[in-house]
Amino acid sequence: MGYMSSTPTTEQVNAALATVQDPEIHRPLTELDMVKSVEISADGAVSVGIYLTVAGCPMRGRIEKDVSAAVGKVPGVTGVTVDLDVMSEDQRKALQTKLRGGQAEKEIPFAKPNSLTKVFAVASGKGGVGKSSVTVNLAAAMAAQGHKVGVVDADIYGHSVPRMLGADDRPTKVEDMILPPTAHGIKVISVGMFTQGNQPVVWRGPMLHRALQQFLADVFWGDLDVLLMDLPPGTGDIAISVAQLLPNAEILVVTTPQQAAAEVAERAGAISAQTHQRVAGVIENMSYYQAPGSDERTYLFGEGGGQVVCDGLTKSLGTRVPLLGQIPLEVGLREGGDSGTPFVLSDPDSEAGKVLRSIAEELVGKPRGLSGMMLGISPARR
Ligand SMILES: Nc1ncnc2c1ncn2[C@@H]1O[C@H](COP(=O)(O)OP(=O)(O)OP(=O)(O)O)[C@@H](O)[C@H]1O
Ligand SMILES: [Mg+2]
């Protein structure tokens, strides 16, 4: 039985397979759990089953060839057949976890189909129209109304949100979880918290996407009712990333009454047609100025821009896009942004405060399950 003694063993074949690397991951197939089966017949014919990570893997031919060559070199092997199969979803996840050193891919909680968190992305065409001011004031109004609110400052270059909310603490890291600082009951995260001092950040598109993904997945948000995202002005990479990472995010368009601003704002809203997102409405900011004690309104930036954007978007999107409110110019609103106390909290009964509070209410309604949650404890006030 001299032939029997030269029949290759499973160990020998596995050792040969351990020399074959996945051409993309650059790790041995054996380590990647890509070897499905090894069958050796008495005549030295070896049949190897290989799991590809994805169907239609462009490297399939290469893997097949490398496996054949490596196993063919084992003494006693008379022929090699390679059967390709594809990993199941679970196997792929397990592999990803393995590659990440045991850490499972973090999911974005708000992107799950059963998420109860309402997500709003605050967008504008032009810069400086008051996006960040509107974001923090809406967040503060919603929090004061009893909602659990988070804010993501996705304006990588601007990042003014932490200052406007007085939340410039660094986030705490526990294990691999980032705990966001809280101000006025709002959880806040900003790229500004991860950069040194005031140095400008020059980030390319893929890095922005990754940063945003991280903000959304690695930050411990808890159970939020609302997440507001302050986007940079215009229709850039971030707006696309938000649409990809959070397809259920609704867009809030901020504009001034100026016609030129309105045209650009409409463009920012219109990308929702491509990303299939809903436009929750338009907010006109800096609508007019009314001096204290006077009943005369001065329309510094003209009139009608908000309505123009609503009409244009209603027409182009084919669904009604409402004008949610017109916020007047208020010295206190600017001061509140500089001092870190949102104006809706310091002067809720001002005209701007009233408009912002009514928009907040319209967007999120009554707090979810509030009656059950109060249990006689009055909500925190500041
Ligand atoms: N209704 C308002 N009344 C008075 N000042 C306002 C009002 N809205 C915004 N401001 C002030 O205008 C300036 C620009 O506002 P803000 O930073 O919110 O705009 P933005 O759209 O986020 O700007 P950017 O495009 O730079 O991110 C700030 O100083 C802010 O305090
Ligand atoms: Mg801003």
Side-chain angles (χ1 to χ4, degrees), residues 240-275:
I240 305 293
S241 286
V242 167
Q244 284 171 353
L245 296 167
L246 294 170
N248 56 336
E250 299 181 25
I251 296 171
L252 284 175
V253 181
V254 179
T255 185
T256 65
Q258 225 171 341
Q259 298 298 319
E263 276 167 35
V264 206
E266 196 182 320
R267 235 174 288 149
I271 64 157
S272 66
Q274 287 154 44
T275 57

Side-chain angles (χ1 to χ4, degrees), residues 126-133 155 160 164 233 285-286 327-330 333-334:
K126 261 170 55 121
V129 298
K131 245 181 331 336
S132 303
S133 305
D155 188 347
S160 44
M164 286 183 170
N285 187 31
M286 310 186 181
I327 305 165
L329 282 155
E330 297 252 12
L333 205 148
R334 198 262 309 143

Side-chain angles (χ1 to χ4, degrees), residues 38-70:
V38 172
E39 279 163 41
I40 306 164
S41 46
D43 65 357
V46 179
S47 155
V48 182
I50 295 289
Y51 283 122
L52 299 172
T53 50
V54 286
C57 170
M59 298 294 163
R60 57 189 303 148
R62 165 91 182 271
I63 294 172
E64 214 171 342
K65 208 176 104 228
D66 291 355
V67 167
S68 287

Side-chain angles (χ1 to χ4, degrees), residues 12-351:
Q12 284 175 299
V13 174
N14 278 331
L17 288 168
T19 67
V20 181
Q21 293 208 339
D22 178 273
E24 286 172 310
I25 310 176
H26 306 292
R27 297 260 287 269
L29 302 185
T30 44
E31 249 179 58
L32 301 173
D33 298 324
M34 287 173 69
V35 178
K36 180 186 178 186
S37 56
V38 172
E39 279 163 41
I40 306 164
S41 46
D43 65 357
V46 179
S47 155
V48 182
I50 295 289
Y51 283 122
L52 299 172
T53 50
V54 286
C57 170
M59 298 294 163
R60 57 189 303 148
R62 165 91 182 271
I63 294 172
E64 214 171 342
K65 208 176 104 228
D66 291 355
V67 167
S68 287
V71 176
K73 280 189 208 144
V74 177
V77 171
T78 54
V80 184
T81 49
V82 181
D83 292 310
L84 298 178
D85 197 350
V86 179
M87 285 187 179
S88 68
E89 190 63 36
D90 285 345
Q91 286 172 309
R92 208 159 26 238
K93 275 213 181 109
L95 173 59
Q96 278 170 1
T97 304
K98 194 168 182 175
L99 292 175
R100 231 177 269 113
Q103 263 186 47
E105 164 93 47
K106 296 231 191 71
E107 286 180 304
I108 298 176
F110 319 112
K112 289 194 196 152
N114 58 351
S115 166
L116 294 171
T117 307
K118 281 199 141 195
V119 184
F120 296 102
V122 184
S124 78
K126 261 170 55 121
V129 298
K131 245 181 331 336
S132 303
S133 305
V134 166
T135 305
V136 300
N137 276 284
L138 286 180
M142 289 168 180
Q145 285 162 10
H147 298 281
K148 283 174 261 145
V149 185
V151 176
V152 172
D153 181 2
D155 188 347
I156 306 287
Y157 303 103
H159 52 81
S160 44
V161 165
R163 197 199 60 235
M164 286 183 170
L165 281 170
D168 18 37
D169 293 350
R170 298 231 152 211
T172 322
K173 245 188 138 190
V174 176
E175 308 275 307
D176 56 347
M177 222 162 49
I178 301 167
L179 303 182
T182 303
H184 310 287
I186 305 160
K187 291 184 171 148
V188 189
I189 212 85
S190 163
V191 71
M193 294 168 180
F194 300 92
T195 54
Q196 292 301 317
N198 205 16
Q199 65 192 5
V201 190
V202 183
W203 283 12
R204 290 175 301 111
M207 281 170 73
L208 291 175
H209 189 87
R210 176 76 197 110
L212 201 56
Q213 143 91 35
Q214 215 173 19
F215 283 177
L216 295 168
D218 292 359
V219 169
F220 182 73
W221 293 103
D223 178 25
L224 291 185
D225 297 310
V226 197
L227 181 75
L228 289 160
M229 307 182 72
D230 184 21
L231 302 187
T235 52
D237 290 340
I238 279 285
I240 305 293
S241 286
V242 167
Q244 284 171 353
L245 296 167
L246 294 170
N248 56 336
E250 299 181 25
I251 296 171
L252 284 175
V253 181
V254 179
T255 185
T256 65
Q258 225 171 341
Q259 298 298 319
E263 276 167 35
V264 206
E266 196 182 320
R267 235 174 288 149
I271 64 157
S272 66
Q274 287 154 44
T275 57
H276 305 288
Q277 287 172 292
R278 205 176 87 88
V279 177
V282 176
I283 298 168
E284 188 185 85
N285 187 31
M286 310 186 181
S287 295
Y288 57 86
Y289 178 71
Q290 189 168 349
S294 154
D295 48 14
E296 196 186 323
R297 292 179 172 183
T298 309
Y299 296 87
L300 270 115
F301 295 115
E303 280 180 81
Q307 194 57 53
V308 166
V309 178
C310 288
D311 294 345
L313 287 176
T314 298
K315 212 168 142 206
S316 64
L317 300 176
T319 53
R320 199 181 81 85
V321 174
L323 182 61
L324 296 169
Q326 293 172 292
I327 305 165
L329 282 155
E330 297 252 12
V331 175
L333 205 148
R334 198 262 309 143
E335 286 170 348
D338 293 343
S339 69
T341 304
F343 192 58
V344 284
L345 300 180
S346 59
D347 200 348
D349 294 321
S350 60
E351 190 55 30

